[in-house]
Amino acid sequence: MQAIVKTTLAAALLASLSIPMAMPIRAQQPGLASNGQVQTLVVPGNIEWIERAALAARREGILRHIEKSIGQEIKRGDLVAYLDSTMAELAQTKAEMFAKDTSAIEMAEAEREVAATNAARAYRLRDINSKEEYELRQAQFKVADARLKEEQSKHEQAAQELKMAQEAVAEHQILAPFDGEVLQQIKYPGEAVQAMEPVVHVARTDRVRFQGYVPLEMAYQLRKGMVVDVQPVIEGEQIPIAQKRFRGRIVYISPELAFAKTRAEVEIKADVINNVSKELRVGHKANMTVYLTDDPSAIPAPPEDMLPVTPDPRPTPPVLGRRSNAATNAAQ
């Protein structure tokens, strides 16, 4: 009886040990190949976003208008949406009036000229007039000079307050940080919006990223900047995109290890920057062919339907400013 119990417990223990642990999902083993010119490495993976953002206003208020709704294309710096900024615009108008008003400076300059003339006259007549008269004129000149400097300082402060008022108006606007497309609209005109609360989601659709894993021993053959071809994998369907390849470059090789079953792997990423037709979609499974060479002449020329890899310009922050009159008239 005890032997039967021990046998049963041993079987249960073995069964429990055979339950697979949760591991990151990996596709088939990457493989090395050669096309007669250069050795290649084929890596399975997925397509993900390069640039995606939840856009929000920096001020709280009432959402007044959506300029770019879901599905519409955007350009960097485009006005996507804006909150009601009536009070901020009134404050800006007031600040503009103070910044443009130079009457106080002109009056202070005139008073300084009068005081300078009187001081010069008192100096010439110092032998005739009393010493107290000369000193009085000198003091009046110093007061007039100090007042002019005070008015100039106030004018500079008014100019800074105008910039702050303009920035307050701009903070009611939501601008596109890059070229792309509106994916989702979260808020609608008339709704209250808190500061930094997302209003729309946008993403760049002409540039996507391949993400996959290679065994550690193969990772040492890879370097940033290597040219790759990405080909989508469509299971069970025959569609034209499955025959296309998209060229890109490796941009990331992880310094950390990821463990899958019994082997160590390294995450790699490559940017596809010529997805102008937007056929390569985020979520696609794909195979990436890495050309294991630094010699550009050894890499096969891309097919006719593949655009050449061109450097992407360094992104610059959008210029904040008041919305255009056309946008204001459309909202009204």
Side-chain angles (χ1 to χ4, degrees), residues 170-187:
E171 287 179 351
H172 289 77
Q173 303 173 12
I174 301 175
L175 304 181
F178 46 73
D179 296 354
E181 184 177 324
V182 178
L183 300 181
Q184 183 182 8
Q185 182 176 335
I186 304 172
K187 291 289 186 177

Side-chain angles (χ1 to χ4, degrees), residues 126 220 277:
R126 63 184 180 276
Y220 292 106
S277 61

Side-chain angles (χ1 to χ4, degrees), residues 230-282:
V230 176
Q231 185 171 8
V233 176
I234 311 297
E235 298 178 356
E237 298 290 342
Q238 294 296 329
I239 56 178
I241 190 177
Q243 307 302 321
K244 291 187 176 182
R245 293 183 292 125
F246 300 83
R247 184 146 289 188
R249 294 185 186 276
I250 293 178
V251 296
Y252 177 74
I253 302 174
S254 176
E256 298 180 329
L257 293 180
F259 293 92
K261 295 184 179 179
T262 59
R263 70 169 187 245
E265 295 183 332
V266 176
E267 183 184 24
I268 61 172
K269 296 186 178 184
D271 285 1
V272 178
I273 60 177
N274 58 356
N275 187 35
V276 291
S277 61
K278 303 177 184 179
E279 293 179 294
L280 194 58
R281 301 174 183 274
V282 170

